[in-house]
Amino acid sequence: MNNIIILPIIIPFIVGALLIIFAKHHKLQRVISGLTSIILLLFAIYLAVLVYMDGIIVLEAGDWPAPFGIVLVADMFATLMLLLTAILAIACLFFAFKTITPKRERFYFYPFYFFLLVGVNGAFLTGDIFNLFVFFEVLLLASYGLIVHGGTKYQLRESFKYVIINVFTSALFVVAVAWLYSVTGTLNMAHLSERVAELEQTGVVNTIAMMLFIVFATKGALFPLYFWLPKSYFGPPAAIAALFGGLLTKVGIYAIIRVFTLIFYHDAGYTHKTIITIAAGFTMLLGVLGAVSQFDFKRILSYHIISQVGYMVMGLGIFTPLAVAGAIYYIAHHMIVKTALFLFEGATKRVTGVSDLKQMGGLLKTHPWLAWLFFITAISLAGIPPFSGFFSKFPIILAGFQEGQYVIAGVALLVGLLTLFSMMKIFSYVFWGKQKHTEEQANIKIGKLLAPIAPLVALTIILGLAAEPMFQYSLEVAEQIMDPQIYVDSVLKE
């Protein structure tokens, strides 16, 4: 039974390799890709339910016992991330079927797509910090191929920064892992949790922790290491930008939460309540100010990625079960909503041909379904009830006030207000007002583009209306990851 947790890694790897062979057969690629994404979604649901009912599942590769062998670990947090990844992957893939040109398909779009999922799923499931680095590299290599896919001058120029910054952070990752191994003698996360708890060299441990935080903060686009994101995510097609915006930065956030709840939690006053909380506050504020200052649909969404990851890290910084549960709830909300918003931008551009707000207007009259579905998603991102954005932000901000973190809680409220302003700016410019697109553009049918987005909109409504059971689930996830002994006992079988 434990062998099943390797399937989210093996299935996309095999399919990605298979799709290389059929690179010139576009219809066959679509059929294989579509069926595989549905299978991954069904399996993610099954695995999440199985872990929720029966507890953590551990696979010891090659039957080598931990901590000596490689282990994969599926706990509630990991399986939730697998499920969210599968949902996003299927939505973006089916949107790509209608928007990616044959020219782009011919250059291995689908193999890169599934190799990206290999790295993402592996990062969620690995129980070894060196293999976390390995899976990061797998997803990064695939992302390099996707972010320049199509080869426009803008993509190549702006993606250069994305590649360079990730090369340097990967080097720093290796150095940090090597130093951690020299201090503890192990790379198994569960074993690291035990060894770090026994160390008295808090200065060395905190230094290594901050090195890893810099690595993950860069990949997660936290202050002050977010500068690469807005322009890099502006270049790719909507389906790729949506997958990146909804998913890739959350892998970095997942790594921060995993490492700072399982391994480096002993000096929370310094690492969590000082460094992480300060980074979260500046990330939220500067990200949303960037969004407010923009007049391009896609750039506004890109800057909002930065501001919104600040809420997730804020929950970790406050470091109470309520705050961490809110952060997990917020991750689920944001992955769904942000993906939908990027896909809405792609659908809007299909009609108008532009992404400059000042050149758009009147889409509410010609495409009302597009307008109102976007409106629901936009106010959910801003945190307006009864949608998921409100119920995921509320416990984080409440925990901030309860713990006396009034400044960060105030910043979070201000950021929510500015987020609402920027999203309403998009709605007023793009959908309200005088029609600026031609009658020919007004007659463009986009029902097939809205089909993969509508389930995401439905999910943000459901996550809001079913806030109580969703938050209860998030609280159980938070309680499990904030008690490292549960993870340690499951892996080391103590």
Side-chain angles (χ1 to χ4, degrees):
M1 177 62 72
N2 291 12
N3 290 331
I4 65 172
I5 68 172
I6 201 172
L7 292 180
I9 302 171
I10 291 295
I11 292 174
F13 177 78
I14 294 173
V15 171
L18 183 65
L19 289 172
I20 295 175
I21 301 172
F22 300 113
K24 309 303 179 185
H25 304 277
H26 302 153
K27 290 185 178 179
L28 182 59
Q29 282 195 104
R30 293 183 180 189
V31 171
I32 295 173
S33 299
L35 290 175
T36 303
S37 64
I38 293 170
I39 291 170
L40 286 172
L41 175 60
L42 294 175
F43 183 76
I45 295 171
Y46 169 74
L47 192 58
V49 173
L50 184 64
V51 170
Y52 180 74
M53 300 296 293
D54 298 339
I56 298 174
I57 300 175
V58 179
L59 171 63
E60 296 175 335
D63 208 26
W64 283 85
F68 308 107
I70 295 172
V71 296
L72 298 177
V73 185
D75 64 355
M76 291 176 65
F77 190 25
T79 53
L80 173 62
M81 298 302 290
L82 287 176
L83 176 57
L84 292 168
T85 298
I87 293 171
L88 268 56
I90 196 170
C92 293
L93 184 67
F94 278 80
F95 189 89
F97 289 161
K98 302 300 179 183
T99 56
I100 295 293
T101 63
K103 179 181 177 181
R104 292 180 187 268
E105 286 182 310
R106 188 163 55 248
F107 290 102
Y108 306 103
F109 169 76
Y110 298 109
F112 279 131
Y113 198 92
F114 282 99
F115 288 142
L116 181 77
L117 296 182
V118 172
V120 171
N121 291 343
F124 294 148
L125 288 171
T126 184
D128 180 289
I129 198 163
F130 182 76
N131 283 321
L132 178 62
F133 163 76
V134 172
F135 284 117
F136 260 116
E137 292 307 296
V138 172
L139 73 89
L140 285 172
L141 287 171
S143 73
Y144 298 156
L146 289 173
I147 204 167
V148 299
H149 210 260
T152 66
K153 290 182 179 180
Y154 182 91
Q155 282 179 274
L156 294 172
R157 184 180 70 247
E158 295 303 328
S159 299
F160 184 73
K161 291 183 291 186
Y162 175 80
V163 173
I164 292 299
I165 193 68
N166 277 295
V167 168
F168 278 104
T169 54
S170 295
L172 182 60
F173 198 168
V174 173
V175 172
V177 168
W179 195 1
L180 185 61
Y181 181 76
S182 71
V183 171
T184 62
T186 185
L187 294 175
N188 179 278
M189 290 185 186
H191 204 206
L192 280 170
S193 183
E194 288 190 327
R195 289 287 178 89
V196 170
E198 296 167 357
L199 288 174
E200 296 180 358
Q201 303 176 58
T202 55
V204 173
V205 170
N206 284 343
T207 302
I208 298 171
M210 287 301 100
M211 288 176 68
L212 289 172
F213 180 72
I214 290 171
V215 171
F216 301 142
T218 304
K219 299 180 187 301
L222 293 177
F223 170 85
L225 303 165
Y226 57 76
F227 60 89
W228 57 269
L229 187 147
K231 290 186 177 181
S232 296
Y233 282 17
F234 180 80
I240 297 174
L243 186 68
F244 282 21
L247 180 58
L248 285 198
T249 52
K250 311 314 172 297
V251 183
I253 301 304
Y254 169 87
I256 292 174
I257 294 175
R258 175 66 74 191
V259 167
F260 283 89
T261 56
L262 179 61
I263 302 172
F264 303 112
Y265 59 89
H266 307 93
D267 193 7
Y270 172 73
T271 55
H272 295 64
K273 298 183 183 296
T274 302
I275 300 297
I276 293 177
T277 302
I278 290 173
F282 279 106
T283 301
M284 285 190 290
L285 186 59
L286 296 178
V288 80
L289 290 177
V292 168
S293 68
Q294 297 296 316
F295 276 87
D296 185 277
F297 198 152
K298 205 171 187 179
R299 281 202 171 96
I300 291 173
L301 298 181
S302 297
Y303 275 100
H304 273 309
I305 297 172
I306 299 167
S307 69
Q308 302 301 308
V309 296
Y311 283 98
M312 307 166 200
V313 180
M314 174 185 168
L316 176 65
I318 296 170
F319 206 54
T320 64
L322 177 64
V324 175
I328 292 165
Y329 195 166
Y330 197 87
I331 289 173
H333 147 77
H334 187 263
M335 290 177 72
I336 291 167
V337 167
K338 181 56 65 176
T339 302
L341 287 171
F342 270 101
L343 295 181
F344 278 126
E345 187 277 334
T348 303
K349 194 170 184 178
R350 172 60 67 89
V351 175
T352 63
V354 295
S355 60
D356 185 344
L357 301 187
K358 296 178 181 179
Q359 297 180 39
M360 292 186 279
L363 278 173
L364 178 61
K365 178 182 178 182
T366 60
H367 296 81
W369 278 104
L370 173 63
W372 290 119
L373 288 174
F374 170 83
F375 180 79
I376 292 171
T377 314
I379 63 173
S380 178
L381 183 75
I384 304 299
F387 305 112
S388 59
F390 173 80
F391 294 104
S392 56
K393 285 181 182 177
F394 179 75
I396 300 174
I397 297 172
L398 177 62
F401 282 115
Q402 288 178 346
E403 294 298 306
Q405 298 272 14
Y406 302 115
V407 174
I408 190 71
V411 169
L413 290 172
L414 174 62
V415 170
L417 181 63
L418 292 175
T419 302
L420 178 62
F421 170 78
S422 62
M423 298 313 292
M424 289 303 98
K425 180 170 71 174
I426 293 176
F427 188 79
S428 61
Y429 271 91
V430 177
F431 300 101
W432 207 257
K434 181 181 177 181
Q435 179 180 327
K436 295 184 180 180
H437 49 285
T438 66
E439 286 303 316
E440 183 181 355
Q441 290 174 318
N443 292 324
I444 294 176
K445 305 297 182 182
I446 58 168
K448 292 181 178 179
L449 296 184
L450 294 180
I453 311 176
L456 299 178
V457 179
L459 279 174
T460 191
I461 297 172
I462 292 169
L463 290 178
L465 297 179
E468 183 176 358
M470 180 59 196
F471 181 74
Q472 185 59 41
Y473 179 81
S474 300
L475 191 60
E476 291 183 40
V477 175
E479 290 171 347
Q480 186 181 79
I481 64 175
M482 291 189 72
D483 184 356
Q485 201 59 45
I486 298 173
Y487 187 99
V488 171
D489 290 344
S490 298
V491 174
L492 301 181
K493 298 179 175 60
E494 296 181 354

